[in-house]
Amino acid sequence: MKIWGIMATLVIIFALAFVFSSYYTVSEREQAVVTSLGKPVKIIVGSMKAGEPDEALTEVQNWLKEKQPSLKVKVICGAGLYFKKPFMDTVHVFDDRLLAYDSAPTDIVTKDKKHLFVDTYARWRILNPLLFLQTVSTENGAQARLDDIIYSVVREELGKSELYEIVRSTNDPILTEETRLLEEVRVGRAKILEEIAKGSREKAKDYGIQIVDVRLRRADLPTENAESIFQRMIAERVRIAMGYRSEGEREAVKIRAETDLQANVIRTNAYREAERVKGQGDSEALKTYAEAYQKNPEFFQLWRTLDSYDKAFLKGSTKVVMPIQGSNFNKFLLSPR
Amino acid sequence: MTGQRNMRPFDPNELAASLRFLPKLLWLIPIFLLLRIMFSIYYQVEPSEQGIVTRFGKYARSTGPGFHFKIPWPIENVETPSITEVRRIEVGFRTIGQGSPAQYEKMQKESQMLTGDENIVLSEFIVQYKISDAKDFLFNARDPETAVRDAAEAAHRQVVGDAGIDAVLTSGKTEIQSKTKDLLQTIIDKYKMGIQIVAIQLQDVYPPKQVEAAFKDVASAREDMAKTVNVARGYQSEVIPRAEGEAAKLIAEASGYRAERISTAVGDADRFLQVLAEYEKSPDITKDRLYIESMTKIYPRLDKILIEDSKEGILKYLDLAAPAATRAAAEPVVQPQQPQQPAARPQQQQK
């Protein structure tokens, strides 16, 4: 009887396994390929969120029609609960989401023979899971394939461009009034990135991979070149600093010269004005004198001459020989009559 | 194979005995499952969250904040991402110590980049974003935060690559911030991750250490320039007023001179006119008076030699030299004003 117990347990276990193996779920984050004994029978793609909702569906259907017309595969769009033949069918689950690709920084040479360390990243998704399964089969395989594709496209596109085309995007850069950029940008970084994305997209299609975006996350100069850039930056700053200082000197000299000139003008004008005023005083005085003295010129003569005697004859400086009788003043020295 | 243990023959009794424990253990499994199902029949969505319910992995519905019921596991599952929280990515640096002041570590590889005029600059910034569509955020990308970080670095470098270094360090910061935000949003929209960029905030933007001194010197030079000009302006504000002061003084002195001259003239003229009036009343007397007054003043100053009228008209010999010098030294310099008898030389009458 115990055997029956064991048998029963085993049957239960088998039944459970049967049940669990007859269904599977595909979440919103997943897509799947169902193979029956190795042959693909069903593809479940996610409903596309980026782009048209049925993009993946139509893409896979078209691909099947063109490239694999003999395959009888059912293509379904959407997540949820699905059923399969237990034990016989295998479900290969793939991520339906945007996946990351990141390369290590690589050295590329630009058209003008300059070296650049570029660090590219890409965002991709598995668009055609069956093709993906057939070609690279795992994400690791995909990463290796993407390495090749992206590296070669990046190298090619960047090798076609000069360094400044890779760094800059437009002819309308953000500048201060002092800086002026000289070279005209004909292509620019944005367009180059588009070309890279376009080129990689084409090549990745062969693996059922859709490359959504490729970008240069970093693009730096190698250390030796960085050194020479630093030297140039320093020299430029030195030049600018000198410019400021000499402009200051120039301005200061100008201000001083103008100041001296202005001061001179002020003084000269004042002197002229002062002389004029003094002249006014003189002429006014002379007029006053003349008006007065003209009233009696003869008396004026006496008056004035006496006054000037007072000023002309100073102590002890003049010898005078004078008559006694002949002078009205002296004559009284001899007698009162 | 060697080293095998002794294999006992298969004993179904023993097997059955040990299997008897199994049922007891096996009962644990359904108990756990039952508990799990029970607890998964309800869920709570916080105010800042949104509930996304999937049935067998397929999106079923979105629910708002509050307490909700659902079909239990394994049929329905729920995720509750926070959709109002503003998330933050640091690029070019990391905060290693919270608190104030916070401590930072610089990540040079992340912050170093080329400018449009082929200079090198280091730029640290913060990306603030939030979930705008919970479904897209959960289902469309495997690692949305890394995607934002990568795109942010690429966008910022593209924008800075289109700017001159002076603009990057000074006046262009606002424009660079907004252009980076716009470009980043465009890229993120392409990825359909349901993320909205709230802001890009530049933190520290500075030139590489190797050129730091030269950049600082430019700032010093600008200061020096201002200082030199200021000193000159100081000179200007000192010299001009001084000149104006001198000018004013000159003119004032001239005015003073003029006033004095005029008033002196008026005074003199007045005095003359008064004397003239007197003179015109009695001319001879006035003449004599004036003359005598004058001579009274002047005679003391003169070195006089008085000579009697001589019919011969010959000037008699006199020793004029030495005595005059002696006398000049002996007498006081200030002449008293009252009329004195002229200190005449004793007449030498030579007959």
Side-chain angles (χ1 to χ4, degrees):
Chain A
M1 287 302 122
K2 295 201 180 95
I3 300 290
W4 291 119
I6 294 167
M7 293 277 302
T9 318
L10 287 173
V11 167
I12 290 172
I13 291 173
F14 180 79
L16 283 173
F18 186 89
V19 167
F20 282 128
S21 151
S22 67
Y23 75 90
Y24 59 99
T25 55
V26 177
S27 81
E28 294 283 358
R29 298 176 171 92
E30 295 166 338
Q31 52 189 337
V33 175
V34 184
T35 58
S36 190
L37 301 172
K39 245 179 48 173
V41 290
K42 196 163 172 185
I43 304 177
I44 300 165
V45 290
S47 64
M48 291 293 287
K49 294 91 186 178
E52 298 302 305
D54 289 332
E55 185 183 339
L57 185 62
T58 45
E59 170 73 27
V60 174
Q61 281 171 337
N62 290 338
W63 170 76
L64 279 175
K65 239 187 296 186
E66 280 176 49
K67 298 288 169 61
Q68 315 236 335
S70 56
L71 267 185
K72 298 247 187 330
V73 181
K74 196 160 161 209
V75 187
I76 300 176
C77 179
L81 180 69
Y82 294 98
F83 296 102
K84 65 181 176 73
K85 296 199 279 290
F87 303 124
M88 275 173 43
D89 287 351
T90 327
V91 182
H92 307 264
V93 178
F94 300 103
D95 207 317
D96 188 30
R97 298 176 291 180
L98 198 69
L99 302 171
Y101 164 80
D102 193 0
S103 74
T106 49
D107 180 43
I108 54 107
V109 187
T110 64
K111 183 166 160 201
D112 47 352
K113 303 286 181 288
K114 298 206 176 131
H115 283 257
L116 211 61
F117 261 120
V118 293
D119 181 351
T120 44
Y121 81 87
R123 286 297 184 280
W124 58 283
R125 60 163 28 97
I126 302 170
L127 190 61
N128 184 335
L130 178 54
L131 180 53
F132 187 81
L133 178 64
Q134 287 172 342
T135 50
V136 292
S137 92
T138 61
E139 275 184 37
N140 280 339
Q143 293 276 351
R145 203 55 64 242
L146 286 171
D147 264 337
D148 295 335
I149 294 173
I150 290 177
Y151 174 67
S152 77
V153 174
V154 165
R155 221 185 56 192
E156 184 186 324
E157 287 299 324
L158 296 189
K160 277 199 279 195
S161 320
E162 280 103 347
L163 177 63
Y164 76 91
E165 295 271 1
I166 298 169
V167 172
R168 291 170 51 197
S169 304
T170 65
N171 274 316
D172 181 27
I174 307 169
L175 297 173
T176 58
E177 321 83 49
E178 300 155 323
T179 332
R180 280 185 323 110
L181 292 181
L182 298 169
E183 299 129 329
E184 194 190 309
V185 167
R186 278 164 291 113
V187 185
R189 187 188 186 113
K191 288 228 177 62
I192 292 176
L193 289 174
E194 272 175 37
E195 290 298 310
I196 292 176
K198 219 180 353 178
S200 340
R201 219 167 279 145
E202 273 308 308
K203 296 195 180 168
K205 265 208 178 115
D206 297 339
Y207 305 97
I209 292 174
Q210 182 194 49
I211 292 187
V212 173
D213 197 20
V214 184
R215 295 212 167 247
L216 298 179
R217 188 173 51 193
R218 292 177 204 158
D220 292 313
L221 294 166
T223 354
E224 320 84 61
N225 299 45
E227 271 310 311
S228 70
I229 297 268
F230 292 145
Q231 292 308 317
R232 183 176 56 78
M233 287 172 81
I234 291 176
E236 189 179 41
R237 293 295 123 180
V238 166
R239 186 178 53 79
I240 293 175
M242 247 177 12
Y244 277 132
R245 292 200 167 99
S246 68
E247 188 186 321
E249 291 296 332
R250 213 175 26 243
E251 188 69 19
V253 164
K254 194 167 84 134
I255 291 176
R256 273 181 213 270
E258 279 175 6
T259 303
D260 288 340
L261 175 66
Q262 198 184 356
N264 232 19
V265 167
I266 290 175
R267 270 191 274 266
T268 317
N269 283 347
Y271 178 78
R272 192 173 50 228
E273 180 67 14
E275 290 303 292
R276 189 181 67 85
V277 167
K278 282 204 258 190
Q280 264 180 2
D282 285 340
S283 81
E284 192 66 29
L286 284 175
K287 200 165 78 153
T288 309
Y289 281 129
E291 268 176 20
Y293 295 155
Q294 263 162 31
K295 293 217 160 63
N296 195 328
E298 191 198 311
F299 177 63
F300 166 67
Q301 205 178 42
L302 169 65
W303 169 262
R304 203 67 183 82
T305 311
L306 288 179
D307 192 41
S308 67
Y309 286 164
D310 185 19
K311 299 197 171 67
F313 298 125
L314 301 166
K315 181 74 201 99
S317 60
T318 324
K319 265 195 177 45
V320 177
V321 179
M322 290 188 283
I324 299 181
Q325 291 98 334
S327 158
N328 277 345
F329 192 77
N330 293 339
K331 72 184 181 193
F332 290 120
L333 285 172
L334 292 180
S335 111
R337 280 188 273 279
Chain B
M1 297 188 220
T2 55
Q4 266 186 335
R5 282 184 303 171
N6 249 351
M7 290 280 287
R8 278 181 295 173
F10 182 68
D11 181 11
N13 289 326
E14 225 182 88
L15 182 61
S18 57
L19 279 178
R20 218 169 278 134
F21 284 111
L22 264 180
K24 295 219 178 74
L25 289 173
L26 279 175
W27 281 120
L28 282 175
I29 299 175
I31 288 174
F32 278 133
L33 289 177
L34 202 66
L35 283 173
R36 183 157 182 200
I37 291 173
M38 270 172 53
F39 283 119
S40 71
I41 209 167
Y42 67 90
Y43 63 96
Q44 174 132 330
V45 178
E46 301 297 325
S48 65
E49 295 172 342
Q50 189 178 42
I52 304 288
V53 180
T54 55
R55 187 179 300 172
F56 292 122
K58 184 184 172 77
Y59 169 75
R61 62 187 178 280
S62 309
T63 51
F67 189 88
H68 302 274
F69 288 106
K70 67 173 177 66
I71 301 172
W73 176 88
I75 299 172
E76 280 194 346
N77 193 27
V78 70
E79 284 167 279
T80 56
S82 167
I83 57 172
T84 58
E85 175 193 342
V86 175
R87 293 146 203 256
R88 190 172 178 269
I89 295 178
E90 295 173 336
V91 182
F93 71 105
R94 296 291 181 275
T95 307
I96 51 177
Q98 297 282 346
S100 96
Q103 289 160 297
Y104 305 104
E105 182 191 337
K106 294 205 182 291
M107 317 272 298
Q108 191 171 325
K109 276 204 164 55
E110 272 182 20
S111 59
Q112 185 167 304
M113 53 192 80
L114 286 172
T115 62
D117 47 7
E118 283 177 44
N119 287 316
I120 295 174
V121 78
L122 292 108
S123 177
E124 301 170 5
F125 63 100
I126 290 177
V127 183
Q128 288 173 330
Y129 68 97
K130 63 183 217 212
I131 298 175
S132 62
D133 187 318
K135 267 176 67 188
D136 285 351
F137 179 76
L138 288 179
F139 302 141
N140 276 5
R142 177 184 276 170
D143 190 354
E145 170 155 334
T146 310
V148 174
R149 172 184 287 279
D150 285 348
E153 276 199 57
H156 191 54
R157 278 192 173 71
Q158 184 167 328
V159 171
V160 169
D162 217 17
I165 183 158
D166 289 299
V168 173
L169 291 171
T170 58
S171 53
K173 278 189 187 168
T174 320
E175 198 179 342
I176 288 175
Q177 258 175 200
S178 80
K179 278 203 167 130
T180 302
K181 173 168 178 262
D182 292 342
L183 180 56
L184 179 56
Q185 185 70 62
T186 310
I187 299 173
I188 295 299
D189 288 345
K190 222 195 293 189
Y191 300 171
K192 285 261 178 32
M193 301 190 297
I195 284 180
Q196 184 200 352
I197 306 295
V198 172
I200 298 280
Q201 279 170 352
L202 288 174
Q203 302 291 296
D204 228 353
V205 183
Y206 52 98
K209 220 185 196 67
Q210 293 88 333
V211 305
E212 196 180 2
F215 272 79
K216 282 210 170 91
D217 193 45
V218 169
S220 305
R222 223 182 275 135
E223 266 176 49
D224 285 350
M225 173 176 87
K227 216 176 358 177
T228 312
V229 170
N230 266 346
V231 168
R233 291 211 189 281
Y235 172 79
Q236 181 184 47
S237 66
E238 189 200 304
V239 164
I240 299 287
R242 185 149 27 102
E244 284 172 347
E246 285 173 15
K249 192 169 106 175
L250 259 181
I251 293 181
E253 281 174 354
S255 296
Y257 170 87
R258 177 178 62 183
E260 195 205 311
R261 202 75 167 92
I262 291 177
S263 76
T264 309
V266 167
D268 283 351
D270 251 3
R271 184 163 148 238
F272 174 77
L273 289 172
Q274 277 178 6
V275 178
L276 180 64
E278 228 190 272
Y279 168 77
E280 281 171 351
K281 276 196 234 155
S282 36
D284 288 330
I285 292 183
T286 311
K287 265 198 214 171
D288 285 348
R289 183 175 68 81
L290 287 175
Y291 178 79
I292 292 170
E293 273 175 9
S294 213
M295 291 305 123
T296 309
K297 256 194 292 183
I298 290 165
Y299 260 51
R301 303 183 203 157
L302 298 175
D303 209 356
K304 296 165 287 293
I305 298 164
L306 299 165
I307 299 177
E308 238 185 299
D309 263 359
S310 166
K311 302 299 190 271
E312 291 117 276
I314 295 170
L315 196 64
K316 305 211 166 91
Y317 172 76
L318 291 166
D319 182 5
L320 295 166
T326 331
R327 196 178 309 132
E331 286 175 16
V333 176
V334 177
Q335 195 69 263
Q337 286 310 316
Q338 65 266 79
Q340 292 174 28
Q341 287 303 319
R345 275 197 92 203
Q347 294 132 13
Q348 293 181 11
Q349 288 183 331
Q350 301 203 350
K351 307 242 182 9

